[in-house]
């Protein structure tokens, strides 16, 4: 396996000008979709350089060229506003053909410099560091708020169409190809009970109460590279799903991940709840960065966004479990079921805390 991987990485590196010799690599395992490698290269002068090589998952992204087109548009737009950026966004290197991706051995690859002194976190220990993460994601939306939407492709159609996600979930339950739905009846009931809350934001979009904006759509805390020493955001990464979406979902997804007291796949559900200090710090940062350009309705639905996206992701994890784990990479048996249960527990806790969540958003408007 190791040999096969290194050979492919070498072939990819040959498509980049004077990249030098690969001397070492490690696989990064925190993403659920693409394959990511931290690669060390020795250049002609004997100096070590570090890169990130990523194979795009084409089961999930049916048209990687469109994904990379979007990323180019976004990078150009954000870079043209350099003076307004406190936090960078990831830039991929052009290959010898001048493209920001490379086709090699049947897959699409992309390469970027490894950002020195950067780190990503799966959980947050210190609530205070969340304010700057909130600011970074809010600012990201602000910077893209004047990028014409028709410049971007929809890389995964209906990605956060929660209504369709739930319809699909119930179709999978009905098909139950591996006889797994039978064993998760309580979990399925949760989606029956909460189907109407989960549909609310899509209804508001359809009725014109909420606008589409260019949004990130995958605002996990580990999609910001943080400075190892200062814990300040350095760079927003994972731009694959940047496309038209609801601002509220970006806020909500970040809360779902970063304000959970436990990790996304925690098995001990007694450890899973919404940490209100973390919630408040993130909210402070996000709303400060975005209140100028978001509508009152959008701000008023932020807390609901956290509930809706948590239910949505829970349904995606459980559908994938029932379907045989085809979409999200798993690292243990029943991993997607553990993830789904954790998100259900978190969503239930958010529903209990909904009024307090709304009050906090109100405070920073
Ligand atoms: C996936 O690959 P990663 O971990 O950045 C998924 C997100 C989910 C997330 C849950 C394209 O993101 O939608 O919220 O897992 N990305 C895609 O951790 O489906
Ligand atoms: Mg992602």
């Amino acid at each position: 396996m190791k040999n096969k991987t290194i050979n492919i990485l070498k072939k990819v590196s040959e498509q980049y000008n004077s990249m030098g010799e690969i001397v070492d690599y490690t696989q990064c395992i925190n993403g659920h979709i693409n394959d990511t490698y931290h690669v060390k290269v020795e250049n002609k002068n004997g100096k070590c350089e570090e890169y990130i090589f990523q194979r795009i998952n084409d089961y999930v992204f049916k048209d990687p060229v469109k994904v990379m087109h979007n990323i180019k548009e976004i990078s150009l737009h954000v870079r043209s506003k350099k003076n307004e950026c406190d936090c960078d966004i990831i830039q991929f290197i052009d290959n010898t053909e001048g493209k920001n991706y490379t086709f090699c051995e049947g897959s699409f690859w992309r390469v970027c410099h490894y950002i020195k002194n950067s780190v990503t976190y799966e959980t947050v220990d210190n609530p205070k560091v969340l304010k700057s993460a909130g600011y970074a994601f809010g600012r990201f939306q602000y910077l893209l708020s004047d990028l014409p939407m028709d410049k971007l492709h929809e890389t995964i159609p209906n990605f956060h169409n929660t209504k369709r996600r739930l319809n699909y979930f119930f179709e999978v339950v009905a098909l139950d190809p591996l006889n797994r739905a039978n064993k998760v009846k309580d979990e399925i009931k949760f989606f029956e009970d909460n189907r109407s809350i989960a549909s609310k934001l899509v209804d508001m979009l359809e009725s014109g109460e909420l606008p589409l904006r260019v949004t990130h759509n995958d605002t996990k805390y580990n999609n910001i590279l943080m400075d190892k020493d200062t814990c300040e955001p350095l760079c927003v990464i994972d731009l694959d799903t940047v496309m038209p979406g609801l601002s509220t979902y970006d806020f909500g997804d970040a809360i779902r991940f970063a304000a959970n007291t436990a990790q996304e796949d925690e098995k001990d559900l007694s450890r899973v709840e919404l940490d209100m200090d973390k919630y408040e710090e993130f909210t402070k940062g996000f709303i400060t960065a975005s209140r100028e350009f978001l509508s009152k309705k959008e701000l008023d639905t932020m807390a609901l966004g956290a509930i809706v996206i948590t239910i949505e992701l829970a349904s995606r994890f459980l559908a994938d479990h029932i379907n045989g784990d085809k979409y999200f990479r798993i690292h243990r048996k029943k991993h997607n079921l553990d993830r789904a249960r954790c998100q259900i527990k978190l969503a239930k806790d958010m529903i209990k805390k909904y009024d307090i969540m709304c009050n906090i958003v109100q405070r920073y408007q």
Side-chain angles (χ1 to χ4, degrees):
M1 182 63 191
K2 187 112 188 157
N3 265 344
K4 199 174 159 207
T5 309
I6 192 92
N7 285 337
I8 297 178
L9 294 175
K10 277 188 176 152
K11 282 198 179 146
V12 173
S13 73
E14 283 159 12
Q15 299 199 31
Y16 289 81
N17 269 331
S18 55
M19 167 95 62
E21 189 76 16
I22 296 182
V23 288
D24 196 13
Y25 78 89
T26 46
Q27 186 164 9
C28 315
I29 54 152
N30 52 5
H32 301 336
I33 308 290
N34 298 315
D35 297 324
T36 309
Y37 301 89
H38 180 173
V39 176
K40 292 193 177 147
V41 165
E42 196 178 288
N43 72 13
K44 273 191 251 127
N45 309 325
K47 268 189 141 179
C48 178
E49 282 166 359
E50 296 175 59
Y51 295 90
I52 296 293
F53 283 40
Q54 202 169 43
R55 185 197 340 245
I56 304 177
N57 179 330
D58 57 12
Y59 175 77
V60 169
F61 297 102
K62 303 292 181 211
D63 193 339
V65 175
K66 286 188 177 161
V67 171
M68 296 313 292
H69 161 91
N70 279 8
I71 293 179
K72 188 150 247 172
E73 289 291 337
I74 297 155
S75 305
L76 287 172
H77 189 79
V78 170
R79 285 265 153 134
S80 73
K81 298 181 163 188
K82 223 173 165 150
N83 318 341
E84 294 181 68
C85 304
D86 318 295
C87 174
D88 207 353
I89 68 166
I90 198 73
Q91 305 285 323
F92 291 100
I93 305 170
D94 283 345
N95 68 4
T96 44
E97 289 174 16
K99 294 193 173 125
N100 65 348
Y101 61 88
T102 277
F103 191 71
C104 185
E105 303 264 307
S107 296
F108 286 89
W109 289 80
R110 57 200 177 186
V111 171
C112 63
H113 289 284
Y114 171 78
I115 298 185
K116 290 209 172 66
N117 215 39
S118 68
V119 65
T120 58
Y121 295 102
E122 295 305 305
T123 48
V124 182
D125 295 326
N126 174 4
K128 295 279 171 216
V129 302
L130 271 178
K131 187 176 153 206
S132 52
Y135 192 84
F137 277 134
R139 191 78 185 157
F140 181 82
Q141 276 194 7
Y142 165 74
L143 291 170
L144 293 176
S145 58
D146 58 345
L147 173 66
M149 264 179 235
D150 57 11
K151 286 200 167 178
L152 300 181
H153 300 288
E154 206 179 351
T155 55
I156 302 181
N158 291 302
F159 188 54
H160 286 318
N161 184 330
T162 313
K163 250 173 142 168
R164 286 178 78 122
R165 290 279 186 194
L166 285 194
N167 292 345
Y168 173 73
F169 170 77
F170 286 110
E171 279 167 28
V172 171
V173 169
L175 286 173
D176 194 14
L178 301 167
N179 207 20
R180 289 182 175 179
N182 261 330
K183 300 179 188 102
V184 291
K185 289 196 174 130
D186 289 349
E187 287 79 2
I188 294 170
K189 180 157 186 313
F190 170 80
F191 297 102
E192 287 161 0
D193 293 345
N194 289 287
R195 205 167 176 172
S196 74
I197 304 185
S199 304
K200 273 193 178 155
L201 293 172
V202 174
D203 288 341
M204 290 174 81
L205 173 67
E206 283 168 0
S207 67
E209 283 172 88
L210 291 175
L212 275 180
R213 297 186 180 278
V214 177
T215 51
H216 184 285
N217 293 306
D218 190 5
T219 47
K220 297 199 290 194
Y221 189 55
N222 64 10
N223 278 334
I224 305 183
L225 302 181
M226 310 299 277
D227 186 306
K228 233 182 228 164
D229 304 319
T230 63
C231 284
E232 286 299 315
L234 289 174
C235 184
V236 175
I237 60 170
D238 196 350
L239 308 177
D240 299 339
T241 50
V242 177
M243 56 185 162
L246 291 177
S247 170
T248 306
Y249 279 46
D250 272 8
F251 172 82
D253 202 24
I255 290 298
R256 174 194 73 71
F257 190 83
N260 185 348
T261 46
Q263 292 211 14
E264 189 181 67
D265 58 356
E266 175 61 56
K267 281 169 91 156
D268 176 356
L269 297 183
S270 68
R271 298 178 61 180
V272 177
E273 61 174 301
L274 182 73
D275 179 314
M276 293 316 287
D277 291 333
K278 291 180 185 173
Y279 177 85
E280 175 149 6
E281 288 302 322
F282 185 89
T283 303
K284 217 187 271 179
F286 187 92
I287 305 289
T288 307
S290 59
R291 64 183 164 213
E292 300 295 323
F293 69 96
L294 294 183
S295 69
K296 169 102 175 64
K297 244 304 146 31
E298 283 173 293
L299 292 166
D300 287 346
T301 49
M302 288 294 159
L304 180 60
I307 297 176
V308 172
I309 196 86
T310 307
I311 299 175
E312 178 187 294
L313 186 62
S315 80
R316 293 174 63 199
F317 282 146
L318 194 56
D320 201 32
H321 168 71
I322 294 171
N323 240 342
D325 307 303
K326 295 197 176 97
Y327 188 99
F328 295 104
R329 185 183 301 126
I330 54 169
H331 302 287
R332 58 178 189 247
K333 265 179 117 181
K334 299 194 181 173
H335 201 169
N336 278 317
L337 177 58
D338 293 339
R339 288 170 176 152
R341 286 185 170 142
C342 175
Q343 298 306 302
I344 290 174
K345 169 72 198 291
L346 182 63
K348 286 182 177 166
D349 191 53
M350 287 177 176
I351 292 170
K352 270 192 228 147
K353 292 174 176 162
Y354 177 62
D355 289 341
I356 317 173
M357 290 166 76
C358 288
N359 289 342
I360 292 174
V361 174
Q362 199 78 38
R363 197 174 309 147
Y364 296 101
Q365 285 185 37

